[in-house]
Amino acid sequence: MTEKSFKITCPKCNHEFSSDLFEDHVEQHREGLRAEERAKAQQEADRKVAEKVAEVEKKSEIQNKRMLAKAQDISRPLQQKSQEIQGEVQEQQLEDFLKDKFPNDQVQEIKKGAQGSDCILMINSPEEGVIARICFESKNTKEYKKEWEGKLLEDMKRENIDYGVLVTRALPKDFDKDSGQQERPGNIVIAPLDYRILHTIVEGMRKVCLQSWKAKAKTIQKPARNSRSFPTSPPRGRRLLRLGQP
């Protein structure tokens, strides 16, 4: 006990204890309260910091999404333009290929935006000039679309063309890999983007067209050289030559 301390008697149990002990107990209680207040203050500070961090992160997320959306809006036309250019390049390569491999025939280019296929191969005979035509559609996409076949068939019917070739990088699921081509109703042949195979397919078509014209020319009067019609085109339904057939 210190000189200033005194005894305190508990009114309930009459137990006596030093005033120093009482003050120590009170101080401990006060310290506990202060610690509790500090803990609450720290929790409140942590909560505010967490809310601020979450707010900053959310703002950053929203800004990033907006920037990404703007970047996509900017890149989308560029991607579309790139795809269009790739398609035009393939169309031009196809035309150059036909002109190079079949110099005695004519390649009719269909202008961009005009109705119809990409180009038409006009098959010539030494005697009569143009005796048949083959319609070509070129596709350079990752996925094959069945609707291409219907569009090509419509172009063929509109132009009164008996044969059509769909040259495509993406092939249908039922594509005959053994023969290197896939036939469709209406004298349409699906060909891969392989110019060796395409050359063989077009050669076979030309052979069928020329044979049909010669056979028909023996039984009917030959049309005038400058006639705009094509009465000697091979009949629909005639089976196309497969790769490797004579």
Side-chain angles (χ1 to χ4, degrees), residues 87-224:
E88 292 180 14
V89 168
Q90 182 169 313
E91 293 171 12
Q92 189 62 57
Q93 289 177 333
L94 175 60
E95 293 175 13
D96 293 342
F97 163 79
L98 294 173
K99 292 177 182 178
D100 178 63
K101 296 299 181 181
F102 306 99
N104 295 326
D105 297 333
Q106 303 169 17
V107 177
Q108 178 183 351
E109 176 187 358
I110 307 301
K111 298 297 183 181
K112 183 175 177 60
Q115 191 177 30
S117 56
D118 291 333
C119 66
I120 298 172
L121 180 65
M122 307 176 74
I123 302 173
N124 290 323
S125 75
E127 299 85 2
E128 288 295 329
V130 179
I131 54 93
R133 295 176 295 172
I134 302 174
C135 197
F136 288 86
E137 184 74 23
S138 175
K139 297 296 182 181
N140 185 5
T141 60
K142 295 181 179 180
E143 295 183 1
Y144 184 85
K145 294 183 179 181
K146 182 72 175 178
E147 61 195 49
W148 296 340
E149 301 171 17
K151 192 265 183 185
L152 178 57
L153 188 58
E154 289 178 0
D155 293 339
M156 293 165 57
K157 290 180 178 180
R158 184 177 56 256
E159 297 293 335
N160 193 27
I161 298 177
D162 291 284
Y163 288 109
V165 180
L166 179 57
V167 184
T168 171
R169 185 179 300 277
L171 300 172
K173 294 181 180 179
D174 63 343
F175 185 79
D176 189 350
K177 295 182 180 180
D178 293 333
S179 67
Q181 66 184 56
Q182 185 65 49
E183 295 183 14
R184 289 289 191 261
N187 290 339
I188 290 178
V189 173
I190 301 171
L193 192 59
D194 185 323
Y195 289 108
R196 293 174 299 176
I197 296 177
L198 183 60
H199 187 202
T200 304
I201 291 173
V202 178
E203 278 282 15
M205 285 185 169
R206 290 186 78 262
K207 188 173 183 179
V208 169
C209 292
L210 289 170
Q211 289 176 347
S212 178
W213 173 80
K214 289 179 180 179
K216 198 170 184 178
K218 293 180 180 179
T219 59
I220 62 174
Q221 183 178 2
K222 298 179 181 179

Side-chain angles (χ1 to χ4, degrees), residues 50-68:
E51 289 179 353
K52 191 64 177 179
V53 170
E55 180 183 355
V56 172
E57 290 179 346
K58 181 57 67 176
K59 288 182 179 179
S60 178
E61 180 183 348
I62 293 174
Q63 290 176 349
N64 290 338
K65 287 182 178 179
R66 290 179 178 177
M67 292 176 62
L68 179 60

Side-chain angles (χ1 to χ4, degrees), residues 32-42:
L33 292 176
R34 287 194 292 268
E36 184 177 344
E37 289 297 325
R38 288 195 297 268
K40 289 181 179 180
Q42 185 63 46

